[in-house]
PDB file of all heavy atoms in Angstrom:
ATOM      1  N   GLU A   7       2.003 -14.623   5.809  1.00  0.00           N
ATOM      2  CA  GLU A   7       3.414 -14.945   5.907  1.00  0.00           C
ATOM      3  C   GLU A   7       3.846 -15.931   4.808  1.00  0.00           C
ATOM      4  O   GLU A   7       4.989 -15.856   4.358  1.00  0.00           O
ATOM      5  CB  GLU A   7       3.728 -15.479   7.294  1.00  0.00           C
ATOM      6  CG  GLU A   7       4.739 -14.585   7.896  1.00  0.00           C
ATOM      7  CD  GLU A   7       5.003 -14.811   9.370  1.00  0.00           C
ATOM      8  OE1 GLU A   7       4.316 -14.271  10.209  1.00  0.00           O
ATOM      9  OE2 GLU A   7       5.959 -15.570   9.631  1.00  0.00           O
ATOM     10  N   SER A   8       2.999 -16.794   4.397  1.00  0.00           N
ATOM     11  CA  SER A   8       3.303 -17.788   3.377  1.00  0.00           C
ATOM     12  C   SER A   8       3.691 -17.135   2.069  1.00  0.00           C
ATOM     13  O   SER A   8       4.324 -17.780   1.199  1.00  0.00           O
ATOM     14  CB  SER A   8       2.143 -18.742   3.158  1.00  0.00           C
ATOM     15  OG  SER A   8       0.993 -18.023   2.709  1.00  0.00           O
ATOM     16  N   ALA A   9       3.313 -15.847   1.876  1.00  0.00           N
ATOM     17  CA  ALA A   9       3.566 -15.179   0.595  1.00  0.00           C
ATOM     18  C   ALA A   9       4.688 -14.129   0.688  1.00  0.00           C
ATOM     19  O   ALA A   9       4.970 -13.458  -0.299  1.00  0.00           O
ATOM     20  CB  ALA A   9       2.314 -14.544   0.074  1.00  0.00           C
ATOM     21  N   ARG A  10       5.260 -14.000   1.826  1.00  0.00           N
ATOM     22  CA  ARG A  10       6.334 -12.977   1.982  1.00  0.00           C
ATOM     23  C   ARG A  10       7.444 -13.298   1.002  1.00  0.00           C
ATOM     24  O   ARG A  10       7.794 -14.443   0.788  1.00  0.00           O
ATOM     25  CB  ARG A  10       6.863 -12.942   3.425  1.00  0.00           C
ATOM     26  CG  ARG A  10       5.804 -12.643   4.491  1.00  0.00           C
ATOM     27  CD  ARG A  10       5.631 -11.182   4.791  1.00  0.00           C
ATOM     28  NE  ARG A  10       4.292 -10.883   5.369  1.00  0.00           N
ATOM     29  CZ  ARG A  10       3.990 -10.998   6.629  1.00  0.00           C
ATOM     30  NH1 ARG A  10       4.892 -11.452   7.482  1.00  0.00           N
ATOM     31  NH2 ARG A  10       2.777 -10.696   7.065  1.00  0.00           N
ATOM     32  N   GLY A  11       8.008 -12.266   0.407  1.00  0.00           N
ATOM     33  CA  GLY A  11       9.071 -12.425  -0.585  1.00  0.00           C
ATOM     34  C   GLY A  11       8.612 -12.523  -2.007  1.00  0.00           C
ATOM     35  O   GLY A  11       9.407 -12.464  -2.925  1.00  0.00           O
ATOM     36  N   LEU A  12       7.268 -12.649  -2.215  1.00  0.00           N
ATOM     37  CA  LEU A  12       6.723 -12.782  -3.597  1.00  0.00           C
ATOM     38  C   LEU A  12       6.412 -11.388  -4.184  1.00  0.00           C
ATOM     39  O   LEU A  12       5.936 -11.331  -5.314  1.00  0.00           O
ATOM     40  CB  LEU A  12       5.478 -13.618  -3.618  1.00  0.00           C
ATOM     41  CG  LEU A  12       5.600 -15.076  -3.134  1.00  0.00           C
ATOM     42  CD1 LEU A  12       4.257 -15.762  -3.131  1.00  0.00           C
ATOM     43  CD2 LEU A  12       6.606 -15.810  -4.014  1.00  0.00           C
ATOM     44  N   LYS A  13       6.593 -10.313  -3.397  1.00  0.00           N
ATOM     45  CA  LYS A  13       6.271  -8.986  -3.824  1.00  0.00           C
ATOM     46  C   LYS A  13       4.750  -8.799  -3.980  1.00  0.00           C
ATOM     47  O   LYS A  13       4.289  -7.903  -4.730  1.00  0.00           O
ATOM     48  CB  LYS A  13       7.010  -8.531  -5.109  1.00  0.00           C
ATOM     49  CG  LYS A  13       8.509  -8.551  -4.913  1.00  0.00           C
ATOM     50  CD  LYS A  13       9.141  -7.357  -5.621  1.00  0.00           C
ATOM     51  CE  LYS A  13      10.619  -7.325  -5.353  1.00  0.00           C
ATOM     52  NZ  LYS A  13      11.000  -6.355  -4.343  1.00  0.00           N
ATOM     53  N   ALA A  14       3.963  -9.615  -3.339  1.00  0.00           N
ATOM     54  CA  ALA A  14       2.510  -9.554  -3.396  1.00  0.00           C
ATOM     55  C   ALA A  14       1.996  -8.216  -2.780  1.00  0.00           C
ATOM     56  O   ALA A  14       1.096  -7.616  -3.300  1.00  0.00           O
ATOM     57  CB  ALA A  14       1.861 -10.708  -2.667  1.00  0.00           C
ATOM     58  N   GLY A  15       2.667  -7.788  -1.691  1.00  0.00           N
ATOM     59  CA  GLY A  15       2.226  -6.536  -1.105  1.00  0.00           C
ATOM     60  C   GLY A  15       2.511  -5.341  -2.015  1.00  0.00           C
ATOM     61  O   GLY A  15       1.631  -4.459  -2.126  1.00  0.00           O
ATOM     62  N   GLU A  16       3.631  -5.315  -2.656  1.00  0.00           N
ATOM     63  CA  GLU A  16       3.962  -4.208  -3.610  1.00  0.00           C
ATOM     64  C   GLU A  16       2.995  -4.224  -4.764  1.00  0.00           C
ATOM     65  O   GLU A  16       2.484  -3.173  -5.156  1.00  0.00           O
ATOM     66  CB  GLU A  16       5.385  -4.351  -4.058  1.00  0.00           C
ATOM     67  CG  GLU A  16       5.835  -3.201  -4.927  1.00  0.00           C
ATOM     68  CD  GLU A  16       7.345  -3.207  -5.204  1.00  0.00           C
ATOM     69  OE1 GLU A  16       8.098  -3.951  -4.524  1.00  0.00           O
ATOM     70  OE2 GLU A  16       7.765  -2.448  -6.095  1.00  0.00           O
ATOM     71  N   PHE A  17       2.696  -5.392  -5.306  1.00  0.00           N
ATOM     72  CA  PHE A  17       1.744  -5.551  -6.408  1.00  0.00           C
ATOM     73  C   PHE A  17       0.379  -5.036  -6.040  1.00  0.00           C
ATOM     74  O   PHE A  17      -0.261  -4.310  -6.722  1.00  0.00           O
ATOM     75  CB  PHE A  17       1.731  -7.017  -6.798  1.00  0.00           C
ATOM     76  CG  PHE A  17       0.898  -7.357  -8.000  1.00  0.00           C
ATOM     77  CD1 PHE A  17       1.309  -7.029  -9.263  1.00  0.00           C
ATOM     78  CD2 PHE A  17      -0.310  -8.006  -7.872  1.00  0.00           C
ATOM     79  CE1 PHE A  17       0.498  -7.315 -10.388  1.00  0.00           C
ATOM     80  CE2 PHE A  17      -1.105  -8.334  -8.965  1.00  0.00           C
ATOM     81  CZ  PHE A  17      -0.659  -8.001 -10.228  1.00  0.00           C
ATOM     82  N   LEU A  18      -0.043  -5.411  -4.840  1.00  0.00           N
ATOM     83  CA  LEU A  18      -1.345  -5.021  -4.292  1.00  0.00           C
ATOM     84  C   LEU A  18      -1.379  -3.485  -4.067  1.00  0.00           C
ATOM     85  O   LEU A  18      -2.355  -2.808  -4.424  1.00  0.00           O
ATOM     86  CB  LEU A  18      -1.634  -5.782  -3.002  1.00  0.00           C
ATOM     87  CG  LEU A  18      -2.940  -5.477  -2.262  1.00  0.00           C
ATOM     88  CD1 LEU A  18      -4.142  -5.747  -3.139  1.00  0.00           C
ATOM     89  CD2 LEU A  18      -2.995  -6.299  -0.955  1.00  0.00           C
ATOM     90  N   LEU A  19      -0.340  -2.957  -3.466  1.00  0.00           N
ATOM     91  CA  LEU A  19      -0.296  -1.545  -3.152  1.00  0.00           C
ATOM     92  C   LEU A  19      -0.330  -0.716  -4.442  1.00  0.00           C
ATOM     93  O   LEU A  19      -1.033   0.309  -4.518  1.00  0.00           O
ATOM     94  CB  LEU A  19       0.895  -1.205  -2.306  1.00  0.00           C
ATOM     95  CG  LEU A  19       1.038   0.256  -1.845  1.00  0.00           C
ATOM     96  CD1 LEU A  19      -0.203   0.704  -1.079  1.00  0.00           C
ATOM     97  CD2 LEU A  19       2.287   0.393  -0.968  1.00  0.00           C
ATOM     98  N   GLU A  20       0.390  -1.144  -5.449  1.00  0.00           N
ATOM     99  CA  GLU A  20       0.406  -0.444  -6.772  1.00  0.00           C
ATOM    100  C   GLU A  20      -1.013  -0.443  -7.356  1.00  0.00           C
ATOM    101  O   GLU A  20      -1.479   0.616  -7.861  1.00  0.00           O
ATOM    102  CB  GLU A  20       1.365  -1.068  -7.771  1.00  0.00           C
ATOM    103  CG  GLU A  20       2.843  -0.809  -7.402  1.00  0.00           C
ATOM    104  CD  GLU A  20       3.813  -1.579  -8.239  1.00  0.00           C
ATOM    105  OE1 GLU A  20       3.418  -2.592  -8.933  1.00  0.00           O
ATOM    106  OE2 GLU A  20       4.985  -1.206  -8.254  1.00  0.00           O
ATOM    107  N   ALA A  21      -1.707  -1.571  -7.250  1.00  0.00           N
ATOM    108  CA  ALA A  21      -3.076  -1.639  -7.794  1.00  0.00           C
ATOM    109  C   ALA A  21      -4.008  -0.730  -6.984  1.00  0.00           C
ATOM    110  O   ALA A  21      -4.891  -0.054  -7.555  1.00  0.00           O
ATOM    111  CB  ALA A  21      -3.578  -3.073  -7.725  1.00  0.00           C
ATOM    112  N   MET A  22      -3.811  -0.681  -5.699  1.00  0.00           N
ATOM    113  CA  MET A  22      -4.678   0.172  -4.864  1.00  0.00           C
ATOM    114  C   MET A  22      -4.428   1.688  -5.086  1.00  0.00           C
ATOM    115  O   MET A  22      -5.355   2.475  -5.107  1.00  0.00           O
ATOM    116  CB  MET A  22      -4.518  -0.214  -3.407  1.00  0.00           C
ATOM    117  CG  MET A  22      -5.632   0.282  -2.490  1.00  0.00           C
ATOM    118  SD  MET A  22      -7.283  -0.131  -3.118  1.00  0.00           S
ATOM    119  CE  MET A  22      -7.652  -1.508  -2.037  1.00  0.00           C
ATOM    120  N   ILE A  23      -3.180   2.059  -5.284  1.00  0.00           N
ATOM    121  CA  ILE A  23      -2.866   3.455  -5.567  1.00  0.00           C
ATOM    122  C   ILE A  23      -3.489   3.844  -6.944  1.00  0.00           C
ATOM    123  O   ILE A  23      -4.075   4.922  -7.036  1.00  0.00           O
ATOM    124  CB  ILE A  23      -1.337   3.702  -5.589  1.00  0.00           C
ATOM    125  CG1 ILE A  23      -0.765   3.619  -4.170  1.00  0.00           C
ATOM    126  CG2 ILE A  23      -1.000   5.072  -6.195  1.00  0.00           C
ATOM    127  CD1 ILE A  23       0.756   3.584  -4.089  1.00  0.00           C
ATOM    128  N   ALA A  24      -3.384   2.961  -7.931  1.00  0.00           N
ATOM    129  CA  ALA A  24      -4.004   3.230  -9.207  1.00  0.00           C
ATOM    130  C   ALA A  24      -5.510   3.412  -9.065  1.00  0.00           C
ATOM    131  O   ALA A  24      -6.129   4.291  -9.671  1.00  0.00           O
ATOM    132  CB  ALA A  24      -3.711   2.083 -10.178  1.00  0.00           C
ATOM    133  N   ARG A  25      -6.157   2.564  -8.247  1.00  0.00           N
ATOM    134  CA  ARG A  25      -7.606   2.711  -8.030  1.00  0.00           C
ATOM    135  C   ARG A  25      -7.908   4.056  -7.317  1.00  0.00           C
ATOM    136  O   ARG A  25      -8.858   4.746  -7.678  1.00  0.00           O
ATOM    137  CB  ARG A  25      -8.114   1.538  -7.173  1.00  0.00           C
ATOM    138  CG  ARG A  25      -9.587   1.615  -6.850  1.00  0.00           C
ATOM    139  CD  ARG A  25     -10.493   1.534  -8.133  1.00  0.00           C
ATOM    140  NE  ARG A  25     -10.254   0.264  -8.814  1.00  0.00           N
ATOM    141  CZ  ARG A  25     -10.960  -0.835  -8.514  1.00  0.00           C
ATOM    142  NH1 ARG A  25     -11.863  -0.808  -7.581  1.00  0.00           N
ATOM    143  NH2 ARG A  25     -10.669  -1.965  -9.149  1.00  0.00           N
ATOM    144  N   ALA A  26      -7.113   4.426  -6.328  1.00  0.00           N
ATOM    145  CA  ALA A  26      -7.313   5.674  -5.642  1.00  0.00           C
ATOM    146  C   ALA A  26      -7.205   6.850  -6.614  1.00  0.00           C
ATOM    147  O   ALA A  26      -7.946   7.807  -6.506  1.00  0.00           O
ATOM    148  CB  ALA A  26      -6.287   5.813  -4.487  1.00  0.00           C
ATOM    149  N   MET A  27      -6.276   6.786  -7.571  1.00  0.00           N
ATOM    150  CA  MET A  27      -6.107   7.865  -8.557  1.00  0.00           C
ATOM    151  C   MET A  27      -7.358   7.941  -9.450  1.00  0.00           C
ATOM    152  O   MET A  27      -7.777   9.014  -9.822  1.00  0.00           O
ATOM    153  CB  MET A  27      -4.815   7.690  -9.359  1.00  0.00           C
ATOM    154  CG  MET A  27      -3.538   7.809  -8.506  1.00  0.00           C
ATOM    155  SD  MET A  27      -3.344   9.324  -7.582  1.00  0.00           S
ATOM    156  CE  MET A  27      -3.975   8.886  -5.896  1.00  0.00           C
ATOM    157  N   GLN A  28      -7.907   6.750  -9.790  1.00  0.00           N
ATOM    158  CA  GLN A  28      -9.150   6.758 -10.624  1.00  0.00           C
ATOM    159  C   GLN A  28     -10.298   7.413  -9.840  1.00  0.00           C
ATOM    160  O   GLN A  28     -11.132   8.088 -10.418  1.00  0.00           O
ATOM    161  CB  GLN A  28      -9.580   5.303 -10.924  1.00  0.00           C
ATOM    162  CG  GLN A  28      -8.708   4.590 -11.920  1.00  0.00           C
ATOM    163  CD  GLN A  28      -9.114   3.125 -12.093  1.00  0.00           C
ATOM    164  OE1 GLN A  28      -9.821   2.564 -11.269  1.00  0.00           O
ATOM    165  NE2 GLN A  28      -8.551   2.501 -13.102  1.00  0.00           N
ATOM    166  N   LEU A  29     -10.295   7.264  -8.518  1.00  0.00           N
ATOM    167  CA  LEU A  29     -11.331   7.857  -7.693  1.00  0.00           C
ATOM    168  C   LEU A  29     -11.014   9.323  -7.323  1.00  0.00           C
ATOM    169  O   LEU A  29     -11.791   9.973  -6.616  1.00  0.00           O
ATOM    170  CB  LEU A  29     -11.483   7.067  -6.387  1.00  0.00           C
ATOM    171  CG  LEU A  29     -11.978   5.634  -6.549  1.00  0.00           C
ATOM    172  CD1 LEU A  29     -11.854   4.870  -5.214  1.00  0.00           C
ATOM    173  CD2 LEU A  29     -13.436   5.646  -7.007  1.00  0.00           C
ATOM    174  N   GLU A  30      -9.897   9.815  -7.840  1.00  0.00           N
ATOM    175  CA  GLU A  30      -9.427  11.202  -7.595  1.00  0.00           C
ATOM    176  C   GLU A  30      -9.318  11.468  -6.086  1.00  0.00           C
ATOM    177  O   GLU A  30      -9.706  12.534  -5.566  1.00  0.00           O
ATOM    178  CB  GLU A  30     -10.319  12.233  -8.262  1.00  0.00           C
ATOM    179  CG  GLU A  30     -10.353  12.021  -9.799  1.00  0.00           C
ATOM    180  CD  GLU A  30     -11.267  12.984 -10.513  1.00  0.00           C
ATOM    181  OE1 GLU A  30     -12.085  13.673  -9.868  1.00  0.00           O
ATOM    182  OE2 GLU A  30     -11.159  13.072 -11.753  1.00  0.00           O
ATOM    183  N   ALA A  31      -8.763  10.475  -5.385  1.00  0.00           N
ATOM    184  CA  ALA A  31      -8.562  10.599  -3.940  1.00  0.00           C
ATOM    185  C   ALA A  31      -7.686  11.814  -3.571  1.00  0.00           C
ATOM    186  O   ALA A  31      -6.609  11.923  -4.133  1.00  0.00           O
ATOM    187  CB  ALA A  31      -7.954   9.314  -3.398  1.00  0.00           C
ATOM    188  N   GLU A  32      -8.160  12.620  -2.675  1.00  0.00           N
ATOM    189  CA  GLU A  32      -7.348  13.765  -2.208  1.00  0.00           C
ATOM    190  C   GLU A  32      -7.871  14.150  -0.841  1.00  0.00           C
ATOM    191  O   GLU A  32      -8.941  14.733  -0.720  1.00  0.00           O
ATOM    192  CB  GLU A  32      -7.457  14.928  -3.201  1.00  0.00           C
ATOM    193  CG  GLU A  32      -6.638  16.135  -2.789  1.00  0.00           C
ATOM    194  CD  GLU A  32      -5.149  15.805  -2.462  1.00  0.00           C
ATOM    195  OE1 GLU A  32      -4.530  15.004  -3.155  1.00  0.00           O
ATOM    196  OE2 GLU A  32      -4.693  16.361  -1.487  1.00  0.00           O
ATOM    197  N   PRO A  33      -7.160  13.840   0.193  1.00  0.00           N
ATOM    198  CA  PRO A  33      -5.883  13.114   0.182  1.00  0.00           C
ATOM    199  C   PRO A  33      -6.091  11.608   0.218  1.00  0.00           C
ATOM    200  O   PRO A  33      -7.133  11.131   0.606  1.00  0.00           O
ATOM    201  CB  PRO A  33      -5.222  13.516   1.493  1.00  0.00           C
ATOM    202  CG  PRO A  33      -6.399  13.708   2.445  1.00  0.00           C
ATOM    203  CD  PRO A  33      -7.512  14.261   1.605  1.00  0.00           C
ATOM    204  N   LEU A  34      -5.074  10.888  -0.236  1.00  0.00           N
ATOM    205  CA  LEU A  34      -4.919   9.456  -0.028  1.00  0.00           C
ATOM    206  C   LEU A  34      -3.904   9.338   1.073  1.00  0.00           C
ATOM    207  O   LEU A  34      -2.785   9.846   0.940  1.00  0.00           O
ATOM    208  CB  LEU A  34      -4.441   8.761  -1.309  1.00  0.00           C
ATOM    209  CG  LEU A  34      -4.014   7.316  -1.123  1.00  0.00           C
ATOM    210  CD1 LEU A  34      -5.195   6.447  -0.581  1.00  0.00           C
ATOM    211  CD2 LEU A  34      -3.459   6.699  -2.421  1.00  0.00           C
ATOM    212  N   TYR A  35      -4.291   8.788   2.185  1.00  0.00           N
ATOM    213  CA  TYR A  35      -3.410   8.722   3.306  1.00  0.00           C
ATOM    214  C   TYR A  35      -3.493   7.351   4.029  1.00  0.00           C
ATOM    215  O   TYR A  35      -4.328   6.530   3.696  1.00  0.00           O
ATOM    216  CB  TYR A  35      -3.781   9.825   4.337  1.00  0.00           C
ATOM    217  CG  TYR A  35      -5.122   9.655   4.997  1.00  0.00           C
ATOM    218  CD1 TYR A  35      -5.222   9.040   6.216  1.00  0.00           C
ATOM    219  CD2 TYR A  35      -6.292  10.076   4.399  1.00  0.00           C
ATOM    220  CE1 TYR A  35      -6.477   8.858   6.860  1.00  0.00           C
ATOM    221  CE2 TYR A  35      -7.512   9.884   4.977  1.00  0.00           C
ATOM    222  CZ  TYR A  35      -7.583   9.274   6.206  1.00  0.00           C
ATOM    223  OH  TYR A  35      -8.802   9.093   6.828  1.00  0.00           O
ATOM    224  N   LEU A  36      -2.586   7.170   4.940  1.00  0.00           N
ATOM    225  CA  LEU A  36      -2.629   5.917   5.758  1.00  0.00           C
ATOM    226  C   LEU A  36      -2.131   6.243   7.128  1.00  0.00           C
ATOM    227  O   LEU A  36      -1.434   7.243   7.398  1.00  0.00           O
ATOM    228  CB  LEU A  36      -1.762   4.824   5.101  1.00  0.00           C
ATOM    229  CG  LEU A  36      -0.257   5.128   4.931  1.00  0.00           C
ATOM    230  CD1 LEU A  36       0.523   4.728   6.203  1.00  0.00           C
ATOM    231  CD2 LEU A  36       0.267   4.325   3.763  1.00  0.00           C
ATOM    232  N   LEU A  37      -2.562   5.416   8.065  1.00  0.00           N
ATOM    233  CA  LEU A  37      -2.159   5.501   9.485  1.00  0.00           C
ATOM    234  C   LEU A  37      -1.487   4.169   9.828  1.00  0.00           C
ATOM    235  O   LEU A  37      -2.013   3.101   9.472  1.00  0.00           O
ATOM    236  CB  LEU A  37      -3.402   5.718  10.346  1.00  0.00           C
ATOM    237  CG  LEU A  37      -4.246   6.949   9.996  1.00  0.00           C
ATOM    238  CD1 LEU A  37      -5.537   6.967  10.817  1.00  0.00           C
ATOM    239  CD2 LEU A  37      -3.442   8.224  10.177  1.00  0.00           C
ATOM    240  N   SER A  38      -0.355   4.230  10.509  1.00  0.00           N
ATOM    241  CA  SER A  38       0.352   3.012  10.803  1.00  0.00           C
ATOM    242  C   SER A  38       1.060   3.140  12.163  1.00  0.00           C
ATOM    243  O   SER A  38       0.771   4.043  12.951  1.00  0.00           O
ATOM    244  CB  SER A  38       1.383   2.720   9.680  1.00  0.00           C
ATOM    245  OG  SER A  38       1.888   1.386   9.846  1.00  0.00           O
ATOM    246  N   ASN A  39       1.979   2.243  12.376  1.00  0.00           N
ATOM    247  CA  ASN A  39       2.777   2.225  13.618  1.00  0.00           C
ATOM    248  C   ASN A  39       4.217   1.962  13.249  1.00  0.00           C
ATOM    249  O   ASN A  39       4.474   1.149  12.356  1.00  0.00           O
ATOM    250  CB  ASN A  39       2.207   1.114  14.553  1.00  0.00           C
ATOM    251  CG  ASN A  39       2.968   1.099  15.885  1.00  0.00           C
ATOM    252  OD1 ASN A  39       4.080   0.620  15.982  1.00  0.00           O
ATOM    253  ND2 ASN A  39       2.330   1.657  16.908  1.00  0.00           N
ATOM    254  N   ALA A  40       5.129   2.550  13.960  1.00  0.00           N
ATOM    255  CA  ALA A  40       6.566   2.409  13.655  1.00  0.00           C
ATOM    256  C   ALA A  40       7.024   0.954  13.692  1.00  0.00           C
ATOM    257  O   ALA A  40       8.003   0.588  13.072  1.00  0.00           O
ATOM    258  CB  ALA A  40       7.361   3.289  14.597  1.00  0.00           C
ATOM    259  N   LYS A  41       6.305   0.100  14.461  1.00  0.00           N
ATOM    260  CA  LYS A  41       6.626  -1.359  14.513  1.00  0.00           C
ATOM    261  C   LYS A  41       6.499  -2.018  13.138  1.00  0.00           C
ATOM    262  O   LYS A  41       7.078  -3.034  12.907  1.00  0.00           O
ATOM    263  CB  LYS A  41       5.734  -2.073  15.484  1.00  0.00           C
ATOM    264  CG  LYS A  41       6.090  -1.860  16.947  1.00  0.00           C
ATOM    265  CD  LYS A  41       5.065  -2.390  17.924  1.00  0.00           C
ATOM    266  CE  LYS A  41       5.001  -3.890  17.976  1.00  0.00           C
ATOM    267  NZ  LYS A  41       4.084  -4.340  19.067  1.00  0.00           N
ATOM    268  N   CYS A  42       5.712  -1.418  12.256  1.00  0.00           N
ATOM    269  CA  CYS A  42       5.458  -1.945  10.883  1.00  0.00           C
ATOM    270  C   CYS A  42       6.514  -1.440   9.930  1.00  0.00           C
ATOM    271  O   CYS A  42       6.195  -0.885   8.860  1.00  0.00           O
ATOM    272  CB  CYS A  42       4.060  -1.634  10.433  1.00  0.00           C
ATOM    273  SG  CYS A  42       2.749  -2.115  11.549  1.00  0.00           S
ATOM    274  N   ALA A  43       7.775  -1.599  10.265  1.00  0.00           N
ATOM    275  CA  ALA A  43       8.870  -0.998   9.508  1.00  0.00           C
ATOM    276  C   ALA A  43       8.906  -1.411   8.058  1.00  0.00           C
ATOM    277  O   ALA A  43       9.087  -0.603   7.135  1.00  0.00           O
ATOM    278  CB  ALA A  43      10.193  -1.293  10.162  1.00  0.00           C
ATOM    279  N   ALA A  44       8.681  -2.725   7.785  1.00  0.00           N
ATOM    280  CA  ALA A  44       8.710  -3.206   6.384  1.00  0.00           C
ATOM    281  C   ALA A  44       7.597  -2.551   5.572  1.00  0.00           C
ATOM    282  O   ALA A  44       7.822  -2.147   4.440  1.00  0.00           O
ATOM    283  CB  ALA A  44       8.599  -4.705   6.371  1.00  0.00           C
ATOM    284  N   ALA A  45       6.421  -2.454   6.164  1.00  0.00           N
ATOM    285  CA  ALA A  45       5.297  -1.874   5.449  1.00  0.00           C
ATOM    286  C   ALA A  45       5.581  -0.376   5.222  1.00  0.00           C
ATOM    287  O   ALA A  45       5.358   0.134   4.089  1.00  0.00           O
ATOM    288  CB  ALA A  45       3.995  -2.018   6.257  1.00  0.00           C
ATOM    289  N   ILE A  46       6.094   0.326   6.180  1.00  0.00           N
ATOM    290  CA  ILE A  46       6.393   1.763   6.040  1.00  0.00           C
ATOM    291  C   ILE A  46       7.428   1.950   4.961  1.00  0.00           C
ATOM    292  O   ILE A  46       7.310   2.896   4.120  1.00  0.00           O
ATOM    293  CB  ILE A  46       6.828   2.371   7.395  1.00  0.00           C
ATOM    294  CG1 ILE A  46       5.621   2.389   8.354  1.00  0.00           C
ATOM    295  CG2 ILE A  46       7.460   3.750   7.199  1.00  0.00           C
ATOM    296  CD1 ILE A  46       5.988   2.648   9.816  1.00  0.00           C
ATOM    297  N   HIS A  47       8.422   1.112   4.869  1.00  0.00           N
ATOM    298  CA  HIS A  47       9.420   1.202   3.808  1.00  0.00           C
ATOM    299  C   HIS A  47       8.747   1.040   2.427  1.00  0.00           C
ATOM    300  O   HIS A  47       9.053   1.792   1.497  1.00  0.00           O
ATOM    301  CB  HIS A  47      10.514   0.136   4.013  1.00  0.00           C
ATOM    302  CG  HIS A  47      11.509   0.096   2.888  1.00  0.00           C
ATOM    303  ND1 HIS A  47      12.489   1.076   2.736  1.00  0.00           N
ATOM    304  CD2 HIS A  47      11.696  -0.752   1.879  1.00  0.00           C
ATOM    305  CE1 HIS A  47      13.209   0.827   1.689  1.00  0.00           C
ATOM    306  NE2 HIS A  47      12.740  -0.319   1.139  1.00  0.00           N
ATOM    307  N   LEU A  48       7.819   0.093   2.318  1.00  0.00           N
ATOM    308  CA  LEU A  48       7.105  -0.097   1.065  1.00  0.00           C
ATOM    309  C   LEU A  48       6.258   1.126   0.692  1.00  0.00           C
ATOM    310  O   LEU A  48       6.252   1.564  -0.453  1.00  0.00           O
ATOM    311  CB  LEU A  48       6.210  -1.358   1.143  1.00  0.00           C
ATOM    312  CG  LEU A  48       5.343  -1.651  -0.068  1.00  0.00           C
ATOM    313  CD1 LEU A  48       6.191  -1.867  -1.298  1.00  0.00           C
ATOM    314  CD2 LEU A  48       4.469  -2.884   0.204  1.00  0.00           C
TER     315      LEU A  48
END
């Protein structure tokens, strides 16, 4: 919570997607819950 608003999650997610592409992930997927609306939007 101390880092919310710094775009740390977006920065991290971009890095992780790039890594998944290097690994030729197919599929790259995620499981979540509708309560996590901010994360789902990202």
Side-chain angles (χ1 to χ4, degrees):
E7 240 170 273
S8 61
R10 302 270 157 83
L12 299 178
K13 299 222 177 257
E16 186 170 345
F17 184 73
L18 178 60
L19 184 56
E20 286 172 345
M22 197 52 101
I23 291 170
R25 178 64 62 86
M27 296 304 96
Q28 289 173 347
L29 294 170
E30 300 178 347
E32 182 52 41
L34 170 59
Y35 67 95
L36 61 86
L37 304 172
S38 191
N39 183 283
K41 283 171 70 173
C42 303
I46 290 167
H47 176 73
L48 177 60

